[in-house]
Protein backbone atom coordinates (compact mmCIF):
# COMPACT_ATOMS: atom_id res chain seq x y z
CA UNK A 1 0.00 0.00 0.00
CA UNK A 2 1.46 3.33 -1.02
CA UNK A 3 0.54 6.57 0.65
CA UNK A 4 0.34 8.33 -2.69
CA UNK A 5 -1.60 6.32 -5.18
CA UNK A 6 0.18 7.58 -8.30
CA UNK A 7 3.82 8.44 -9.01
CA UNK A 8 4.62 12.09 -9.60
CA UNK A 9 5.98 13.02 -13.05
CA UNK A 10 9.61 13.19 -11.81
CA UNK A 11 9.19 9.81 -10.07
CA UNK A 12 7.66 8.33 -13.22
CA UNK A 13 10.51 9.63 -15.39
CA UNK A 14 13.08 8.32 -12.92
CA UNK A 15 11.56 4.82 -13.06
CA UNK A 16 11.52 4.88 -16.88
CA UNK A 17 15.16 5.92 -16.97
CA UNK A 18 16.18 3.13 -14.62
CA UNK A 19 14.74 0.37 -16.80
CA UNK A 20 17.51 -1.70 -18.40
CA UNK A 21 15.36 -2.78 -21.37
CA UNK A 22 16.32 -6.43 -20.79
CA UNK A 23 15.98 -8.35 -24.06
CA UNK A 24 14.86 -11.56 -22.32
CA UNK A 25 11.89 -9.76 -20.70
CA UNK A 26 11.91 -11.51 -17.29
CA UNK A 27 9.31 -9.01 -16.08
CA UNK A 28 6.89 -10.10 -18.80
CA UNK A 29 7.51 -13.78 -18.11
CA UNK A 30 6.56 -13.22 -14.46
CA UNK A 31 3.29 -11.46 -15.32
CA UNK A 32 0.17 -13.68 -15.17
CA UNK A 33 -1.30 -11.87 -18.21
CA UNK A 34 2.06 -11.63 -20.05
CA UNK A 35 2.04 -7.86 -20.10
CA UNK A 36 5.50 -6.59 -21.16
CA UNK A 37 6.93 -3.84 -18.93
CA UNK A 38 10.05 -3.76 -21.10
CA UNK A 39 7.93 -2.75 -24.09
CA UNK A 40 5.47 -0.36 -22.42
CA UNK A 41 8.28 1.35 -20.55
CA UNK A 42 10.21 1.59 -23.82
CA UNK A 43 7.20 3.21 -25.53
CA UNK A 44 6.64 5.64 -22.66
CA UNK A 45 10.31 6.57 -22.71
CA UNK A 46 10.08 7.28 -26.45
CA UNK A 47 7.21 9.64 -25.70
CA UNK A 48 4.53 7.36 -27.13
CA UNK A 49 1.95 7.27 -24.30
CA UNK A 50 -0.81 5.92 -26.52
CA UNK A 51 1.31 2.97 -27.63
CA UNK A 52 2.39 2.31 -24.04
CA UNK A 53 -1.25 2.25 -22.89
CA UNK A 54 -2.36 0.12 -25.85
CA UNK A 55 0.34 -2.46 -25.06
CA UNK A 56 -0.96 -2.77 -21.50
CA UNK A 57 -4.62 -2.73 -22.54
CA UNK A 58 -4.08 -5.49 -25.11
CA UNK A 59 -3.01 -7.86 -22.33
CA UNK A 60 -5.01 -6.65 -19.37
CA UNK A 61 -8.57 -5.32 -19.41
CA UNK A 62 -7.94 -3.98 -15.87
CA UNK A 63 -4.69 -2.19 -16.69
CA UNK A 64 -5.09 0.73 -14.31
CA UNK A 65 -6.71 -1.33 -11.54
CA UNK A 66 -3.81 -3.81 -11.59
CA UNK A 67 -1.32 -0.95 -11.78
CA UNK A 68 -2.73 0.29 -8.48
CA UNK A 69 -3.16 -2.99 -6.61
CA UNK A 70 -0.80 -5.61 -8.07
CA UNK A 71 1.52 -6.96 -5.36
CA UNK A 72 5.29 -6.83 -5.79
CA UNK A 73 5.40 -10.61 -6.16
CA UNK A 74 5.10 -10.84 -9.97
CA UNK A 75 6.99 -8.54 -12.37
CA UNK A 76 8.82 -6.67 -9.62
CA UNK A 77 10.14 -9.88 -8.13
CA UNK A 78 11.64 -10.78 -11.51
CA UNK A 79 12.99 -7.33 -12.33
CA UNK A 80 16.72 -7.46 -13.11
CA UNK A 81 17.27 -3.93 -11.83
CA UNK A 82 17.09 -5.22 -8.22
CA UNK A 83 20.56 -6.71 -8.76
CA UNK A 84 21.85 -3.12 -8.99
CA UNK A 85 19.67 -1.29 -6.46
CA UNK A 86 15.92 -2.04 -6.43
CA UNK A 87 13.22 -3.26 -8.81
CA UNK A 88 11.50 -0.80 -11.11
CA UNK A 89 8.12 0.17 -9.60
CA UNK A 90 6.43 -1.52 -12.55
CA UNK A 91 2.78 -1.55 -11.37
CA UNK A 92 3.05 2.12 -10.38
CA UNK A 93 4.48 2.98 -13.81
CA UNK A 94 1.61 1.06 -15.39
CA UNK A 95 -0.95 2.93 -13.28
CA UNK A 96 0.56 6.27 -14.34
CA UNK A 97 0.40 5.35 -18.03
CA UNK A 98 -3.18 4.09 -17.76
CA UNK A 99 -4.35 7.13 -15.80
CA UNK A 100 -3.01 9.34 -18.58
CA UNK A 101 -4.82 7.17 -21.13
CA UNK A 102 -8.07 7.40 -19.13
CA UNK A 103 -7.87 11.15 -18.66
CA UNK A 104 -7.15 11.67 -22.34
CA UNK A 105 -9.57 9.05 -23.60
CA UNK A 106 -6.86 7.26 -25.55
CA UNK A 107 -8.34 3.75 -25.45
CA UNK A 108 -11.45 2.05 -26.68
CA UNK A 109 -12.71 -1.52 -26.68
CA UNK A 110 -11.26 -3.98 -29.18
CA UNK A 111 -13.84 -6.17 -30.88
CA UNK A 112 -13.47 -8.64 -33.70
CA UNK A 113 -15.80 -9.35 -36.60
CA UNK A 114 -18.86 -11.18 -35.30
CA UNK A 115 -18.50 -14.97 -35.54
CA UNK A 116 -22.17 -15.64 -34.81
CA UNK A 117 -21.59 -17.52 -31.55
CA UNK A 118 -23.09 -16.46 -28.22
CA UNK A 119 -21.44 -16.91 -24.82
CA UNK A 120 -22.80 -16.20 -21.33
CA UNK A 121 -20.36 -14.85 -18.76
CA UNK A 122 -21.54 -15.07 -15.16
CA UNK A 123 -19.97 -12.85 -12.51
CA UNK A 124 -18.46 -9.48 -13.33
CA UNK A 125 -15.32 -9.40 -11.24
CA UNK A 126 -11.83 -9.39 -12.78
CA UNK A 127 -12.19 -12.95 -14.15
CA UNK A 128 -15.50 -12.16 -15.85
CA UNK A 129 -14.08 -8.98 -17.34
CA UNK A 130 -10.95 -10.81 -18.51
CA UNK A 131 -13.15 -13.39 -20.22
CA UNK A 132 -15.37 -10.74 -21.84
CA UNK A 133 -12.43 -8.74 -23.24
CA UNK A 134 -11.01 -11.85 -24.89
CA UNK A 135 -14.38 -13.00 -26.24
CA UNK A 136 -15.10 -9.60 -27.79
CA UNK A 137 -11.69 -9.58 -29.49
CA UNK A 138 -12.59 -12.92 -31.02
CA UNK A 139 -15.98 -11.68 -32.27
CA UNK A 140 -18.28 -13.52 -29.85
CA UNK A 141 -21.60 -12.05 -28.84
CA UNK A 142 -21.52 -11.92 -25.02
CA UNK A 143 -24.29 -11.67 -22.46
CA UNK A 144 -22.98 -10.98 -18.97
CA UNK A 145 -24.88 -11.66 -15.74
CA UNK A 146 -23.97 -10.15 -12.37
CA UNK A 147 -25.97 -10.72 -9.19
CA UNK A 148 -25.07 -7.36 -7.67
CA UNK A 149 -26.02 -3.99 -9.12
CA UNK A 150 -22.37 -3.02 -9.47
CA UNK A 151 -19.51 -4.64 -11.34
CA UNK A 152 -16.03 -5.38 -10.00
CA UNK A 153 -16.70 -8.23 -7.57
CA UNK A 154 -14.23 -8.36 -4.70
CA UNK A 155 -12.49 -5.23 -6.05
CA UNK A 156 -15.33 -3.30 -4.42
CA UNK A 157 -14.06 -4.41 -1.02
CA UNK A 158 -10.61 -2.92 -1.50
CA UNK A 159 -10.42 0.34 0.45
CA UNK A 160 -10.97 3.41 -1.72
CA UNK A 161 -7.62 4.86 -0.66
CA UNK A 162 -6.02 2.01 -2.62
CA UNK A 163 -8.55 1.67 -5.42
CA UNK A 164 -11.11 4.39 -6.18
CA UNK A 165 -14.32 2.90 -7.57
CA UNK A 166 -14.30 5.26 -10.57
CA UNK A 167 -11.33 3.33 -11.99
CA UNK A 168 -13.26 0.04 -11.93
CA UNK A 169 -16.25 1.74 -13.53
CA UNK A 170 -14.11 3.33 -16.22
CA UNK A 171 -12.58 -0.02 -17.21
CA UNK A 172 -16.09 -1.51 -17.36
CA UNK A 173 -17.47 1.41 -19.41
CA UNK A 174 -14.72 0.78 -21.95
CA UNK A 175 -15.92 -2.81 -22.43
CA UNK A 176 -19.51 -1.63 -22.64
CA UNK A 177 -18.72 0.39 -25.75
CA UNK A 178 -18.89 -2.89 -27.64
CA UNK A 179 -22.03 -3.60 -29.64
CA UNK A 180 -21.33 -7.30 -29.05
CA UNK A 181 -21.86 -7.02 -25.27
CA UNK A 182 -25.12 -6.96 -23.34
CA UNK A 183 -24.94 -6.84 -19.53
CA UNK A 184 -27.58 -7.74 -16.96
CA UNK A 185 -26.91 -6.36 -13.47
CA UNK A 186 -28.85 -7.56 -10.44
CA UNK A 187 -29.17 -10.90 -12.25
CA UNK A 188 -28.02 -13.98 -10.36
CA UNK A 189 -27.71 -17.16 -12.41
CA UNK A 190 -27.44 -20.59 -10.84
CA UNK A 191 -28.68 -22.94 -13.57
CA UNK A 192 -25.89 -22.81 -16.16
CA UNK A 193 -27.20 -25.75 -18.19
CA UNK A 194 -30.44 -23.88 -18.85
CA UNK A 195 -28.43 -21.16 -20.60
CA UNK A 196 -27.13 -23.77 -23.03
CA UNK A 197 -30.70 -24.99 -23.55
CA UNK A 198 -31.69 -21.35 -24.20
CA UNK A 199 -29.24 -21.11 -27.10
CA UNK A 200 -25.91 -20.03 -25.61
CA UNK A 201 -22.98 -21.81 -27.22
CA UNK A 202 -20.95 -21.72 -24.02
CA UNK A 203 -20.96 -20.45 -20.43
CA UNK A 204 -18.04 -19.07 -18.44
CA UNK A 205 -18.73 -18.96 -14.71
CA UNK A 206 -16.65 -16.47 -12.69
CA UNK A 207 -18.53 -16.29 -9.39
CA UNK A 208 -15.54 -15.84 -7.08
CA UNK A 209 -15.61 -16.96 -3.47
CA UNK A 210 -18.94 -16.06 -1.95
CA UNK A 211 -18.84 -17.77 1.45
CA UNK A 212 -17.07 -15.90 4.26
CA UNK A 213 -15.08 -18.15 6.57
CA UNK A 214 -16.15 -18.17 10.20
CA UNK A 215 -14.87 -20.04 13.26
CA UNK A 216 -18.03 -21.61 14.66
CA UNK A 217 -17.42 -20.22 18.14
CA UNK A 218 -19.96 -19.13 20.75
CA UNK A 219 -21.23 -15.61 20.23
CA UNK A 220 -19.82 -15.11 16.74
CA UNK A 221 -23.08 -13.53 15.59
CA UNK A 222 -21.67 -10.45 17.37
CA UNK A 223 -18.77 -10.24 14.93
CA UNK A 224 -18.87 -8.34 11.63
CA UNK A 225 -17.89 -10.18 8.45
CA UNK A 226 -15.12 -8.47 6.47
CA UNK A 227 -17.35 -8.27 3.41
CA UNK A 228 -19.93 -6.21 5.31
CA UNK A 229 -17.24 -4.16 7.01
CA UNK A 230 -15.32 -3.24 3.87
CA UNK A 231 -18.41 -2.73 1.71
CA UNK A 232 -19.72 0.02 4.01
CA UNK A 233 -16.92 1.08 6.40
CA UNK A 234 -18.71 4.34 7.28
CA UNK A 235 -21.39 2.25 9.01
CA UNK A 236 -18.79 0.89 11.44
CA UNK A 237 -16.81 4.06 12.13
CA UNK A 238 -15.78 4.30 15.76
CA UNK A 239 -13.31 6.05 18.03
CA UNK A 240 -13.27 2.97 20.28
CA UNK A 241 -11.29 -0.27 20.07
CA UNK A 242 -11.54 -2.66 17.14
CA UNK A 243 -10.36 -6.29 16.96
CA UNK A 244 -9.55 -7.90 13.64
CA UNK A 245 -9.53 -11.71 13.49
CA UNK A 246 -7.09 -12.98 10.85
CA UNK A 247 -3.58 -12.30 9.64
CA UNK A 248 -3.72 -12.05 5.84
CA UNK A 249 -4.03 -9.24 3.31
CA UNK A 250 -7.77 -8.87 3.87
CA UNK A 251 -7.16 -8.46 7.62
CA UNK A 252 -4.62 -5.72 6.85
CA UNK A 253 -7.21 -3.83 4.79
CA UNK A 254 -9.72 -4.16 7.65
CA UNK A 255 -7.19 -2.99 10.25
CA UNK A 256 -6.15 0.07 8.23
CA UNK A 257 -9.79 0.89 7.48
CA UNK A 258 -10.55 0.83 11.21
CA UNK A 259 -7.55 3.01 11.99
CA UNK A 260 -8.37 5.58 9.28
CA UNK A 261 -11.98 5.57 10.48
CA UNK A 262 -10.75 6.89 13.82
CA UNK A 263 -10.43 3.78 15.99
CA UNK A 264 -8.37 4.35 19.12
CA UNK A 265 -6.74 0.92 19.14
CA UNK A 266 -6.77 -1.66 16.41
CA UNK A 267 -5.60 -5.12 17.38
CA UNK A 268 -5.17 -8.08 15.07
CA UNK A 269 -5.61 -11.56 16.56
CA UNK A 270 -3.52 -14.12 14.73
CA UNK A 271 -3.38 -17.82 15.61
CA UNK A 272 0.18 -18.26 14.32
CA UNK A 273 3.45 -16.34 14.45
CA UNK A 274 4.13 -13.01 12.76
CA UNK A 275 6.42 -14.84 10.33
CA UNK A 276 3.50 -17.09 9.31
CA UNK A 277 1.29 -14.16 8.27
CA UNK A 278 0.63 -14.32 4.53
CA UNK A 279 1.26 -10.67 3.78
CA UNK A 280 3.77 -8.83 1.59
CA UNK A 281 6.56 -6.64 2.93
CA UNK A 282 4.52 -3.60 1.85
CA UNK A 283 1.55 -4.79 3.90
CA UNK A 284 3.83 -5.44 6.88
CA UNK A 285 5.08 -1.87 6.59
CA UNK A 286 1.49 -0.61 6.37
CA UNK A 287 0.71 -2.26 9.70
CA UNK A 288 3.68 -0.52 11.28
CA UNK A 289 2.84 2.85 9.67
CA UNK A 290 -0.70 2.67 11.01
CA UNK A 291 0.28 1.58 14.50
CA UNK A 292 -1.69 -1.66 14.36
CA UNK A 293 -1.24 -4.03 17.30
CA UNK A 294 -0.70 -7.70 16.49
CA UNK A 295 -1.45 -10.37 19.08
CA UNK A 296 0.01 -13.61 17.76
CA UNK A 297 -0.32 -17.27 18.85
CA UNK A 298 -3.78 -16.41 20.15
CA UNK A 299 -7.22 -17.68 19.29
CA UNK A 300 -10.56 -16.08 20.12
CA UNK A 301 -12.81 -18.82 21.51
CA UNK A 302 -15.91 -16.90 22.57
CA UNK A 303 -17.45 -13.47 22.02
CA UNK A 304 -19.83 -11.92 24.54
CA UNK A 305 -21.80 -8.68 24.15
CA UNK A 306 -22.17 -6.56 27.29
CA UNK A 307 -24.23 -3.45 26.59
CA UNK A 308 -22.53 -1.74 23.65
CA UNK A 309 -19.16 -3.43 24.02
CA UNK A 310 -17.79 -6.84 23.12
CA UNK A 311 -15.55 -9.11 25.15
CA UNK A 312 -13.30 -11.56 23.35
CA UNK A 313 -12.26 -14.62 25.33
CA UNK A 314 -8.88 -15.76 24.06
CA UNK A 315 -6.52 -18.69 24.58
CA UNK A 316 -2.86 -18.94 23.66
CA UNK A 317 -1.82 -21.41 20.96
CA UNK A 318 1.38 -23.34 20.34
CA UNK A 319 2.81 -25.78 17.81
CA UNK A 320 3.00 -29.30 19.24
CA UNK A 321 5.71 -31.85 18.43
CA UNK A 322 3.95 -32.77 15.17
CA UNK A 323 3.89 -29.12 14.13
CA UNK A 324 0.12 -28.92 14.69
CA UNK A 325 -1.37 -25.78 16.20
CA UNK A 326 -3.02 -26.54 19.56
CA UNK A 327 -4.46 -24.53 22.44
CA UNK A 328 -2.36 -24.04 25.56
CA UNK A 329 -4.27 -25.22 28.64
CA UNK A 330 -5.39 -22.71 31.29
CA UNK A 331 -4.59 -19.61 29.26
CA UNK A 332 -8.07 -18.24 28.74
CA UNK A 333 -8.45 -14.54 29.45
CA UNK A 334 -11.19 -12.00 28.81
CA UNK A 335 -10.30 -9.06 26.58
CA UNK A 336 -12.96 -6.44 27.18
CA UNK A 337 -13.95 -3.24 25.48
CA UNK A 338 -14.16 -3.83 21.72
CA UNK A 339 -16.71 -1.87 19.74
CA UNK A 340 -16.31 -4.18 16.75
CA UNK A 341 -14.76 -7.58 16.20
CA UNK A 342 -14.20 -8.07 12.49
CA UNK A 343 -13.85 -11.54 10.97
CA UNK A 344 -11.23 -11.24 8.23
CA UNK A 345 -10.60 -14.90 7.56
CA UNK A 346 -11.16 -14.82 3.81
CA UNK A 347 -13.77 -16.74 1.87
CA UNK A 348 -14.32 -20.00 0.10
CA UNK A 349 -16.44 -21.00 -2.86
CA UNK A 350 -20.14 -21.43 -2.33
CA UNK A 351 -20.89 -23.93 -5.09
CA UNK A 352 -19.69 -27.25 -6.48
CA UNK A 353 -17.90 -27.09 -9.82
CA UNK A 354 -19.55 -29.33 -12.37
CA UNK A 355 -17.55 -28.56 -15.49
CA UNK A 356 -18.59 -29.76 -18.92
CA UNK A 357 -17.29 -29.01 -22.40
CA UNK A 358 -19.47 -25.91 -22.71
CA UNK A 359 -19.47 -24.78 -19.07
CA UNK A 360 -16.13 -23.52 -17.84
CA UNK A 361 -15.19 -22.01 -14.48
CA UNK A 362 -12.58 -19.30 -13.96
CA UNK A 363 -11.02 -16.92 -11.45
CA UNK A 364 -11.03 -17.23 -7.67
CA UNK A 365 -13.94 -19.66 -7.90
CA UNK A 366 -11.46 -22.21 -9.26
CA UNK A 367 -8.11 -20.99 -8.01
CA UNK A 368 -9.01 -19.85 -4.47
CA UNK A 369 -8.25 -16.36 -3.18
CA UNK A 370 -5.74 -14.99 -5.66
CA UNK A 371 -5.07 -11.57 -7.15
CA UNK A 372 -6.92 -9.44 -9.67
CA UNK A 373 -4.31 -10.02 -12.37
CA UNK A 374 -4.45 -13.80 -11.88
CA UNK A 375 -8.23 -13.69 -12.10
CA UNK A 376 -8.07 -11.67 -15.34
CA UNK A 377 -5.62 -14.24 -16.75
CA UNK A 378 -7.87 -17.10 -15.70
CA UNK A 379 -10.92 -15.49 -17.35
CA UNK A 380 -8.96 -14.89 -20.52
CA UNK A 381 -7.73 -18.50 -20.55
CA UNK A 382 -11.30 -19.76 -20.18
CA UNK A 383 -12.38 -17.58 -23.12
CA UNK A 384 -9.53 -18.93 -25.24
CA UNK A 385 -10.50 -22.48 -24.31
CA UNK A 386 -14.13 -22.02 -25.27
CA UNK A 387 -13.14 -20.20 -28.46
CA UNK A 388 -10.86 -23.10 -29.40
CA UNK A 389 -13.76 -25.49 -28.87
CA UNK A 390 -16.29 -23.46 -30.88
CA UNK A 391 -14.34 -21.89 -33.72
CA UNK A 392 -10.95 -23.59 -33.57
C1 LIG B 1 -10.26 -6.94 0.88
C2 LIG B 1 -9.61 -7.46 -0.35
C3 LIG B 1 -8.42 -6.91 -0.76
C4 LIG B 1 -7.80 -7.38 -1.92
N1 LIG B 1 -6.64 -6.78 -2.32
C5 LIG B 1 -6.08 -7.16 -3.49
C6 LIG B 1 -4.90 -6.50 -3.96
O1 LIG B 1 -4.37 -5.61 -3.32
N2 LIG B 1 -4.37 -6.90 -5.14
C7 LIG B 1 -4.95 -7.90 -5.91
O2 LIG B 1 -4.47 -8.18 -7.01
N3 LIG B 1 -6.05 -8.56 -5.46
C8 LIG B 1 -6.62 -8.22 -4.28
N4 LIG B 1 -7.73 -8.85 -3.82
C9 LIG B 1 -8.18 -10.07 -4.54
C10 LIG B 1 -9.02 -9.78 -5.78
O3 LIG B 1 -10.00 -8.80 -5.51
C11 LIG B 1 -9.64 -11.08 -6.25
O4 LIG B 1 -8.61 -12.03 -6.46
C12 LIG B 1 -10.43 -10.91 -7.53
O5 LIG B 1 -11.44 -9.92 -7.39
C13 LIG B 1 -11.08 -12.23 -7.94
O6 LIG B 1 -11.78 -12.04 -9.13
P1 LIG B 1 -12.97 -13.02 -9.59
O7 LIG B 1 -13.55 -12.37 -10.79
O8 LIG B 1 -12.47 -14.40 -9.69
O9 LIG B 1 -14.02 -13.01 -8.39
P2 LIG B 1 -14.80 -11.81 -7.72
O10 LIG B 1 -14.02 -10.55 -7.79
O11 LIG B 1 -15.19 -12.30 -6.38
O12 LIG B 1 -16.08 -11.62 -8.63
C14 LIG B 1 -17.11 -12.57 -8.64
C15 LIG B 1 -18.38 -11.89 -9.13
O13 LIG B 1 -19.38 -12.87 -9.38
C16 LIG B 1 -20.62 -12.40 -8.90
N5 LIG B 1 -21.49 -13.57 -8.67
C17 LIG B 1 -21.34 -14.53 -7.72
N6 LIG B 1 -22.30 -15.46 -7.84
C18 LIG B 1 -23.08 -15.08 -8.89
C19 LIG B 1 -24.23 -15.64 -9.53
N7 LIG B 1 -24.79 -16.79 -9.11
N8 LIG B 1 -24.77 -15.00 -10.59
C20 LIG B 1 -24.22 -13.82 -11.04
N9 LIG B 1 -23.14 -13.24 -10.46
C21 LIG B 1 -22.57 -13.87 -9.42
C22 LIG B 1 -20.25 -11.66 -7.64
O14 LIG B 1 -21.26 -10.75 -7.24
C23 LIG B 1 -18.98 -10.94 -8.10
O15 LIG B 1 -19.25 -9.69 -8.70
C24 LIG B 1 -8.38 -8.43 -2.66
C25 LIG B 1 -9.59 -9.01 -2.24
C26 LIG B 1 -10.20 -8.54 -1.09
C27 LIG B 1 -11.49 -9.14 -0.63
S1 LIG C 1 13.26 -6.71 -15.84
FE1 LIG C 1 13.12 -4.63 -14.92
S2 LIG C 1 14.84 -3.56 -15.82
FE2 LIG C 1 14.53 -5.36 -17.12
S3 LIG C 1 13.11 -4.69 -18.77
FE3 LIG C 1 11.84 -5.49 -17.11
S4 LIG C 1 11.33 -3.67 -15.89
FE4 LIG C 1 13.09 -3.11 -17.16
Amino acid sequence: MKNNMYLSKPQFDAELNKCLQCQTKPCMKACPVSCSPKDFIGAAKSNQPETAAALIDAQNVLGEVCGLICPDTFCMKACVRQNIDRSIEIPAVQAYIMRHARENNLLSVTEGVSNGKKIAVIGLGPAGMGAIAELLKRGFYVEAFEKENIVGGALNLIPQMRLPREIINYEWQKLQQSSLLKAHLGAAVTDYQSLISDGFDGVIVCNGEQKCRTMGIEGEENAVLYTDYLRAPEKYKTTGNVAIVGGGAVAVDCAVTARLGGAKNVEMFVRRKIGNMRITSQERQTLLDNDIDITTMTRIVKIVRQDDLLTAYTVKTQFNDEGKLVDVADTMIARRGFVHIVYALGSSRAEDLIESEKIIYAGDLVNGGSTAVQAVASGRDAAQKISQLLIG
Side-chain angles (χ1 to χ4, degrees), residues 5-57:
M5 234 181 308
Y6 293 91
L7 298 174
S8 65
K9 176 79 169 87
Q11 286 170 330
F12 175 69
D13 289 340
E15 295 301 314
L16 297 187
N17 288 329
K18 279 178 58 186
C19 175
L20 304 167
Q21 289 292 296
C22 312
Q23 288 309 312
T24 54
K25 304 186 187 181
C27 44
M28 182 188 87
K29 288 177 189 152
C31 173
V33 290
S34 303
C35 194
S36 174
K38 185 231 174 225
D39 294 314
F40 70 70
I41 289 175
K45 219 170 151 178
S46 315
N47 210 14
Q48 297 173 330
E50 196 163 348
T51 305
L55 285 167
I56 296 164
D57 192 53

Side-chain angles (χ1 to χ4, degrees), residues 267-274 293-302 312-320 324-335:
E267 183 172 354
M268 288 170 80
F269 286 89
V270 183
R271 286 185 315 151
R272 294 163 190 268
K273 299 179 182 179
I274 283 202
D293 232 350
I294 307 176
T295 301
T296 56
M297 302 304 286
T298 301
R299 190 166 82 83
I300 295 182
V301 291
K302 184 165 79 168
Y313 286 84
T314 66
V315 295
K316 295 308 287 179
T317 57
Q318 66 182 4
F319 290 101
N320 67 12
K324 217 176 134 209
L325 200 64
V326 292
D327 293 348
V328 182
D330 303 325
T331 54
M332 190 187 291
I333 57 166
R335 295 289 318 279

Side-chain angles (χ1 to χ4, degrees), residues 119 191-197 200-205 352-362 366 382 385-387 389-390:
I119 306 287
D191 184 355
Y192 314 132
Q193 195 56 48
S194 73
L195 291 170
I196 302 289
S197 312
F200 283 94
D201 296 291
V203 180
I204 301 180
V205 186
D352 294 330
L353 308 187
I354 307 162
E355 197 162 278
S356 68
E357 208 180 24
K358 291 188 168 182
I359 300 173
I360 299 184
Y361 297 87
V366 190
K385 193 168 160 192
I386 220 151
S387 170
L389 171 78
L390 295 174

Side-chain angles (χ1 to χ4, degrees), residues 119-172:
I119 306 287
V121 173
I122 303 167
L124 285 173
M129 291 200 219
I132 292 170
E134 187 64 27
L135 292 167
L136 296 178
K137 272 183 211 162
R138 291 167 180 254
F140 286 93
Y141 175 72
V142 181
E143 278 196 42
F145 301 86
E146 165 56 53
K147 75 175 165 73
E148 304 292 339
N149 287 312
I150 50 168
V151 301
L155 297 178
N156 292 299
L157 301 176
I158 297 180
Q160 295 257 12
M161 71 217 165
R162 293 208 291 127
L163 180 61
R165 301 297 174 261
E166 74 212 51
I167 316 284
I168 308 170
N169 292 335
Y170 170 77
E171 314 258 35
W172 171 241

Side-chain angles (χ1 to χ4, degrees), residues 66 68-71 74 122-129 145-148 150-159 162 187-190 192 206-210 226 230 249-250 253-254 283 351 362-365 368-376:
C66 290
L68 290 174
I69 64 164
C70 256
F74 298 120
I122 303 167
L124 285 173
M129 291 200 219
F145 301 86
E146 165 56 53
K147 75 175 165 73
E148 304 292 339
I150 50 168
V151 301
L155 297 178
N156 292 299
L157 301 176
I158 297 180
R162 293 208 291 127
V189 177
T190 46
Y192 314 132
C206 307
N207 287 348
E209 298 188 297
Q210 300 299 315
Y226 78 93
L230 292 174
V250 168
D253 272 341
C254 291
E283 286 159 347
E351 60 191 287
D364 279 8
L365 176 62
S370 64
T371 57
V373 69
Q374 287 170 297
V376 170

Side-chain angles (χ1 to χ4, degrees), residues 31-325:
C31 173
V33 290
S34 303
C35 194
S36 174
K38 185 231 174 225
D39 294 314
F40 70 70
I41 289 175
K45 219 170 151 178
S46 315
N47 210 14
Q48 297 173 330
E50 196 163 348
T51 305
L55 285 167
I56 296 164
D57 192 53
Q59 298 303 122
N60 190 348
V61 64
L62 292 176
E64 188 170 355
V65 166
C66 290
L68 290 174
I69 64 164
C70 256
D72 55 9
T73 46
F74 298 120
C75 53
M76 282 183 70
K77 200 169 174 195
C79 178
V80 172
R81 180 79 208 198
Q82 68 192 294
N83 299 330
I84 301 174
D85 42 25
R86 58 169 178 80
S87 300
I88 310 289
E89 294 281 347
I90 301 169
V93 169
Q94 176 170 317
Y96 187 100
I97 291 169
M98 297 310 274
R99 179 183 63 173
H100 175 83
R102 173 170 52 87
E103 288 173 349
N104 294 282
N105 223 1
L106 298 182
L107 296 170
S108 54
V109 68
T110 311
E111 61 179 24
V113 178
S114 170
N115 63 35
K117 303 275 183 200
K118 187 165 90 163
I119 306 287
V121 173
I122 303 167
L124 285 173
M129 291 200 219
I132 292 170
E134 187 64 27
L135 292 167
L136 296 178
K137 272 183 211 162
R138 291 167 180 254
F140 286 93
Y141 175 72
V142 181
E143 278 196 42
F145 301 86
E146 165 56 53
K147 75 175 165 73
E148 304 292 339
N149 287 312
I150 50 168
V151 301
L155 297 178
N156 292 299
L157 301 176
I158 297 180
Q160 295 257 12
M161 71 217 165
R162 293 208 291 127
L163 180 61
R165 301 297 174 261
E166 74 212 51
I167 316 284
I168 308 170
N169 292 335
Y170 170 77
E171 314 258 35
W172 171 241
Q173 291 309 323
K174 218 167 7 118
L175 278 179
Q176 282 215 297
Q177 293 165 358
S178 172
S179 56
L180 294 175
L181 173 63
K182 185 171 173 192
H184 308 269
L185 298 187
V189 177
T190 46
D191 184 355
Y192 314 132
Q193 195 56 48
S194 73
L195 291 170
I196 302 289
S197 312
D198 287 349
F200 283 94
D201 296 291
V203 180
I204 301 180
V205 186
C206 307
N207 287 348
E209 298 188 297
Q210 300 299 315
K211 201 163 124 199
C212 279
R213 287 199 189 96
T214 54
M215 300 191 294
I217 59 168
E218 195 184 325
E220 75 181 353
E221 66 280 3
N222 293 304
V224 186
L225 297 176
Y226 78 93
T227 43
D228 295 331
Y229 188 70
L230 292 174
R231 199 169 283 126
E234 62 292 341
K235 219 170 115 184
Y236 301 97
K237 246 178 157 177
T238 176
T239 50
N241 300 333
V242 176
I244 310 291
V245 186
V250 168
V252 175
D253 272 341
C254 291
V256 175
T257 300
R259 165 67 74 223
L260 297 182
K264 185 171 156 210
N265 285 307
V266 184
E267 183 172 354
M268 288 170 80
F269 286 89
V270 183
R271 286 185 315 151
R272 294 163 190 268
K273 299 179 182 179
I274 283 202
N276 300 132
M277 287 171 70
R278 286 192 296 166
I279 55 176
T280 63
S281 49
Q282 275 172 3
E283 286 159 347
R284 221 170 279 268
Q285 189 56 48
T286 301
L287 292 176
L288 289 173
D289 293 346
N290 287 282
D291 198 18
I292 309 293
D293 232 350
I294 307 176
T295 301
T296 56
M297 302 304 286
T298 301
R299 190 166 82 83
I300 295 182
V301 291
K302 184 165 79 168
I303 300 170
V304 174
R305 179 175 289 282
Q306 287 162 329
D307 302 322
D308 284 344
L309 292 177
L310 300 170
T311 298
Y313 286 84
T314 66
V315 295
K316 295 308 287 179
T317 57
Q318 66 182 4
F319 290 101
N320 67 12
D321 291 345
E322 284 93 52
K324 217 176 134 209
L325 200 64

